[in-house]
Each structure stands twice: as structure tokens, then as C-alpha cells.
Amino acid sequence: MKKIGFLSFGHWTPSPQSKVRTASDALLQSIDLAVAAEELGADGAFFRVHHYARQLGSPFPLLAAVGARTKRIEIGTAVIDMRYENPLYMAEDAGAADVISGGRLQLGISRGSPEQVIDGWRYFGYAPPEGETDADMARRHTEVFLEVLRGQGFAKPNPRPMFQNPPGLLRLEPYSEGLRERIWWGAGSSATAEWAGKIGMNLQSSTLVYDETGEPLATQQAAQIRKFREAWKAAGHTRQARVSVSRSIFALVDDRDRAYFGRDNENADTIGFLGDNRRAVFGRSYAAEPDVLVEQLKQDEAIAEADTLLLTVPNQLGVDYNAHVIEAVLKHVAPALGWR
């Protein structure tokens, strides 16, 4: 395990039990948690993107703000739903955020998961043409996005421009060199994991995948990762592929931890159905004393296959407690898993 970061869904609710009651709370606390995580030595600050929900919706202002407040930590998403995105406008936003951060952006993108409304992408002005599914549309948007991130000129310049142009066709600006190699695909199936490897994106695997074999989540994820790496190698990519997996992990080191998670009953995978009625396997949570956690996590095949682990954090418990959750894993668990 080379890198460990956190993944926040950025929930907020007006409930008096929540420490994150407004959108402002969610955004500002996300920045503060990224700063705290960097100070603790974590490697990444990642954020989930959901539309029509009291969560983090438009990621680039947040990513830019985190980039301006930090110096070392990787900054990313897991994931941006490409059904909703104008790939050219997204490339400009991503380029600006990456320039602000000094080249630390790690963007996770995907078809996305079920949203709060039916076909929400239609309200954003996107609809697949006849014969194409919304998943096809997401992959088409992705291919355009990846192409423009190469930085090649494609737009014919105005012969009488307002400002002087460089010679040749024009590209989108700001162009951030290397960002194309820091795009990740959130795969829910073996087929999309292989597609990501073929076209040269890194791989993200969440706390759920489509249930293709009936095996535990970690076993199915590990198989997907191996298929991804095989597709990557067959495509002839020369750089090293990266793979992340997400897990809910809580080291019980004080009374707060035991009160919040000491009676956690989610100690086994569960089966459910996603919006398209496909059967999916949802991963268990890990909550135990550090020595027990180490032995449990050593048995997780997908963690062993990946190079990056993202810790899903309970952001509504506030920055201080979430920084404690991250620190407890980094200090008491991660070294035994080979981190640093």
C-alpha cells in the first residue's frame, strides 16, 4: 500500500445532531479536513459528487480552494458523473484547478451511480441519441474529455481575433501538462475496468460493485483489478497504472470511537440493487481494535492488489473527529499494511 487518503461524501443536514448543517459548512469543513489530513501525513483528499442532494455537487471550486490551501496532498474526486458534464467546459475547469494546485489533481470520473431524480442529466441538457444508453453517453463524454486534455489544437482561429493567437489550431486553456495521466475511471463491472485499462485511465473501485460472481466484494474487486492491469498491458501503455479502493475503516482507540462504531454490525458484505435493477454487492465496514484491524485488512484481496486506499469518513461528525479517524489509521494500522 503506497498511498492512503480520505474520501468524503460531503453530506449536510439541518439536524441538531450534525456538525455539518449547511452547504457552507460542508464546503469549508472539506477544505479544513484536507489541510488537517495533509498535516497528519495523509496522501490524498478526495470528494464524492452527487447532484440534487445535500452533498458536494460542483467539485471544481472546492478542488481549487483545497489546492490553494495545501502544498503536497493529492486532490481528487470519486467520482464525477460524466452523464452531466460538458467535456470541454470541464477540461477548462479541471485545467484551472490543476494549475492552482501545482499539478496535484487526481480526477475520478465514471458513469455515476443512481441519483436523486429520474434521468437527472436531462435537466442539464444532455440526452443520449436513439440507440445509445446513458452509459454510452458518459463514455462518449469521457473520450472527448480525454482527447482535449492532450493539449492538441483543434479549433480554427478567427482571422481577425480580439487578441493575438499563437500559430495553428487553438486548444483549450489553461492547459495543464500531465493531467491526462491523472484521470481515473470508477468501474462497477469487469467490462468497464477493462475499458479503462484499454484507453489508459487509472482505476477506482468503490465500496460496491455489480455482483457478477456471487463472491465477496474484495474478491470481485481483486479480479477486476487484475483484468484492468491485463488490459492496460495489452494496450501497450508505458506508464505505471494506478488503482485505488475505498473502505470504511475505524480503529477503535478511544471512548469516542467505541461509542460511535464499537457496536458496528456491518461486519459482512450485503447485497442490494442499483437504479437499473442490477444486483450489487456492498462492502462491509471495518471497526475494531488496531491489531484486529490489521489482521482483517491483510485478508482483503483488493487492498492487496491496489496501490491507494481511500478511507470513507463520516463527515457529519466534524473536522476534528474525522482528522482523528484518519490519524488513528495512519498511526496504528497503515504501517503494518506496508504504508511507507
Side-chain angles (χ1 to χ4, degrees):
M1 184 57 58
K2 297 178 181 178
K3 294 180 181 291
I4 296 180
F6 74 83
L7 170 60
S8 173
F9 278 41
H11 293 285
W12 78 85
T13 174
S15 167
Q17 282 75 44
S18 175
K19 294 184 181 297
V20 188
R21 300 183 186 181
T22 67
S24 176
D25 290 340
L27 289 163
L28 295 176
Q29 289 187 30
S30 293
I31 298 168
D32 289 343
L33 183 58
V35 171
E38 180 172 77
E39 291 172 351
L40 292 169
D43 301 298
F46 286 72
F47 304 96
R48 186 70 170 90
V49 180
H50 269 302
H51 301 291
Y52 307 103
R54 291 175 175 176
Q55 297 179 38
L56 303 173
S58 179
F60 291 106
L62 173 61
L63 296 173
V66 171
R69 286 280 307 277
T70 57
K71 299 185 184 309
R72 176 191 56 81
I73 199 168
E74 292 182 339
I75 307 161
T77 51
V79 291
I80 297 172
D81 189 333
M82 292 302 290
R83 295 174 297 181
Y84 288 79
E85 295 297 324
N86 177 320
L88 275 70
Y89 195 82
M90 180 178 173
E92 291 183 337
D93 279 349
D98 199 43
V99 167
I100 289 170
S101 73
R104 290 181 283 132
L105 220 57
Q106 301 283 343
L107 282 184
I109 63 177
S110 186
R111 187 201 74 169
S113 59
E115 294 286 341
Q116 301 297 101
V117 301
I118 298 171
D119 294 349
W121 26 270
R122 293 186 184 274
Y123 297 98
F124 279 56
Y126 303 111
E130 186 175 352
E132 185 179 83
T133 67
D134 63 310
D136 294 332
M137 179 175 67
R139 287 189 284 272
R140 176 166 50 81
H141 286 181
T142 297
E143 289 169 346
V144 174
F145 177 63
L146 295 177
E147 179 62 25
V148 297
L149 286 184
R150 292 176 59 238
Q152 302 300 310
F154 62 91
K156 185 177 179 179
N158 187 332
R160 294 182 294 277
M162 181 178 296
F163 309 106
Q164 185 175 357
N165 285 323
L169 299 177
L170 301 183
R171 68 186 182 187
L172 294 177
E173 301 289 355
Y175 168 66
S176 187
E177 186 173 358
L179 179 56
R180 168 60 180 84
E181 298 181 355
R182 288 179 273 116
I183 307 301
W184 305 57
W185 182 259
S189 67
S190 295
T192 52
E194 290 177 297
W195 175 75
K198 179 180 178 180
I199 68 173
M201 285 187 288
N202 299 313
L203 181 68
Q204 286 183 338
S205 196
S206 183
T207 52
L208 67 91
V209 296
Y210 287 122
D211 187 15
E212 298 178 320
T213 66
E215 297 172 294
L217 171 80
T219 302
Q220 295 196 55
Q221 277 185 322
Q224 286 184 8
I225 293 169
R226 289 190 287 271
K227 290 179 179 178
F228 163 78
R229 293 193 189 281
E230 289 167 5
W232 183 280
K233 183 178 179 180
H237 302 304
T238 56
R239 65 183 174 87
Q240 187 72 32
R242 289 186 61 185
V243 176
S244 73
V245 296
S246 302
R247 291 290 184 271
S248 298
I249 301 172
F250 303 99
L252 306 182
V253 298
D254 65 20
D255 290 341
R256 290 177 302 169
D257 303 327
R258 297 181 187 95
Y260 284 134
F261 302 107
R263 298 177 183 176
D264 197 324
N265 294 320
E266 297 180 25
N267 55 8
D269 294 343
T270 57
I271 298 296
F273 293 87
L274 294 181
D276 53 4
N277 239 8
R278 287 185 64 180
R279 180 181 166 101
V281 55
F282 296 77
R284 57 167 294 182
S285 294
Y286 291 93
E289 305 294 327
D291 57 336
V292 175
L293 270 185
V294 168
E295 296 307 312
Q296 290 176 339
L297 295 172
K298 283 182 177 179
Q299 303 305 311
D300 190 307
E301 298 174 63
I303 291 178
E305 289 281 349
D307 60 78
T308 300
L309 174 63
L310 299 182
L311 307 172
T312 62
V313 294
N315 77 286
Q316 289 191 79
L317 294 180
V319 173
D320 289 345
Y321 182 72
N322 279 281
H324 161 76
V325 168
I326 296 166
E327 182 179 28
V329 172
L330 295 181
K331 182 177 180 180
H332 300 292
V333 178
L337 299 177
W339 181 65
R340 298 184 181 173

